[in-house]
Amino acid sequence: MSKTAILEIDGKKYEFPIFKGSENEEAIDIKKLRDLTGLVTLDPGYKNSGSCTSEITFLDGELGILRYRGYAIEDLAENANFLEVSYLLIFGKKPTAAELEKFENDIRKYTLVNEEMKSILDGFPKSAHPMGILAALTSALTSFNPKSVDVENEKDLYCAVCKTMGKFLVIATWTFRKNMGYPMNYYDNTKGYVENFMRLMFEIPTEPYKVSQTVIDALDKLFILHADHEQNCSTSTVRMVGSSHAGLFASISAGVSALWGPLHGGANQAVLEMLEEIHNNGGDTEKYLAKAKDKADPFRLMGFGHRVYKNFDPRAKIIKKAANEVLATLGVEDPILDIARKLEAAALEDEYFKARNLYPNVDFYSGIIYRALGIPTDMFTVMFAIGRLPGWIAQWKEMRENKEPIGRPRQIYTGSPLREFK
Ligand code: SDX
């Protein structure tokens, strides 16, 4: 006998089934709530509302658990590579060596971006933020690939996945090249996906360019750690936009815009700017902790806190360790890392943060590694987007394959009653 929830309204009782997931999470199934009671629920920010069931990512905020398709993030970060994890998230299973090689080669078929896209890029001022350019160029990909994805056709969907993985990486680096006044680079189909990212970003025609394996491995791990995170703001946006049957590029473009916000993916840039400000102000971490606790002060400790994790973000632990290793291997002495460690230690001891279960999240240390790799601060959220791309694709694909209805939340009106317009 499955569990139910009883709701009593004006003396009348209503019974709703309780849905249990594969990790024993439970939800009250309110699909029939309005039909039975005439009422809707109210939940700003959806802090208590599940939008869907999903087989892609499981996270437990209390225990600090994160798994992609059942594999622990610690296991994947240690033993997998980014394209392997991308395949796992999108197609639901670990690729065989042959499948992974085919996937990488099929992505290579689409790494040439239409030259006319450059005229769109030329339209932006040099000062344009890379995330704004990326959202626009991603949406523009629809114009150059107008055939909409037939989600019923496995081959068509597979090609759309490879096309998105291939082209997004290239246009993401174009935002930096434009900013620097460099010529646009092209993907080198003889090299790996992550190595290509560094080449696309930094190789200039006048100099030979070599990428160290340390850098490739660090980036590969960072992309894995960012690859998916169930129904976060940007992923929910991708699902919402896709639910109207808008195309994959248009849905991903919307996800890029949602990720840009400083409360979400934009936090990694905001963390570095915050740490630099503290460093430039003499490293007074106590002053900034006090600002973060002061309700009258809009300042928040960027890179701290999380909607779901009320324990350490498991990704933050891995990234913190990687930051120490990468900087040591590269021989980079960065005072910002010392500021971050000092700030983290102080916050973890502080009653305000402890009482609110505020711990470092994925964004707190990632920027320190990006900086050590020479990636400019305003490109940090683009790095997040490159990592999150397979997760967005996987979630969009699942939503369409499950034939989910168009997303359309209800509301409670609190505005003016009927009045005549003279
Ligand atoms: C990401 O959802 C995901 O999965 C996202 C993500 C992913 O992989 O997709 O994990 C990526 O976005 C990570 C989060 C990056 N953002 C930041 O680091 C920005 C700083 N953090 C906060 O803005 C905040 O913690 C959020 C936005 C992340 C979560 O906010 P919630 O869940 O809406 O919590 P809240 O704002 O209601 O805060 C609860 C309390 C409040 O105090 P009280 O009103 O109870 O007194 O905690 C306080 C907040 O003021 N608080 C903070 C704080 N975060 C929360 N106070 C100071 N500094 C902070 N960082």
Side-chain angles (χ1 to χ4, degrees), residues 247-315:
L248 180 54
F249 291 133
S251 305
I252 299 286
S253 171
V256 171
S257 296
L259 186 72
W260 191 0
L263 295 187
H264 189 15
N268 58 15
Q269 173 175 345
V271 166
L272 236 293
E273 288 163 353
M274 172 187 75
L275 294 173
E276 281 174 335
E277 187 184 330
I278 296 173
H279 178 60
N280 298 336
N281 282 286
D284 181 357
T285 50
E286 286 312 314
K287 176 181 147 198
Y288 284 85
L289 279 184
K291 278 169 63 70
K293 298 188 292 189
D294 177 359
K295 289 294 164 212
D297 189 329
F299 175 81
R300 285 201 154 184
L301 200 60
M302 302 313 276
F304 257 76
H306 198 277
R307 172 62 57 78
V308 177
Y309 288 124
K310 300 309 170 195
N311 192 322
F312 238 91
D313 182 332
R315 302 166 298 176

Side-chain angles (χ1 to χ4, degrees), residues 47 59 225-226 228-235 259 261-268 270-271 289 291-293 295 299-310 313 315 352-353 356 358 361-364 384 388:
K47 294 190 174 187
L59 58 93
L225 293 169
H226 286 82
D228 194 57
H229 215 240
E230 53 131 281
Q231 303 312 314
N232 60 86
C233 178
S234 54
T235 299
L259 186 72
L263 295 187
H264 189 15
N268 58 15
V271 166
L289 279 184
K291 278 169 63 70
K293 298 188 292 189
K295 289 294 164 212
F299 175 81
R300 285 201 154 184
L301 200 60
M302 302 313 276
F304 257 76
H306 198 277
R307 172 62 57 78
V308 177
Y309 288 124
K310 300 309 170 195
D313 182 332
R315 302 166 298 176
Y352 171 95
F353 289 87
R356 292 167 180 77
L358 301 176
N361 58 49
V362 66
D363 293 312
F364 190 66
F384 195 141
R388 184 55 49 90

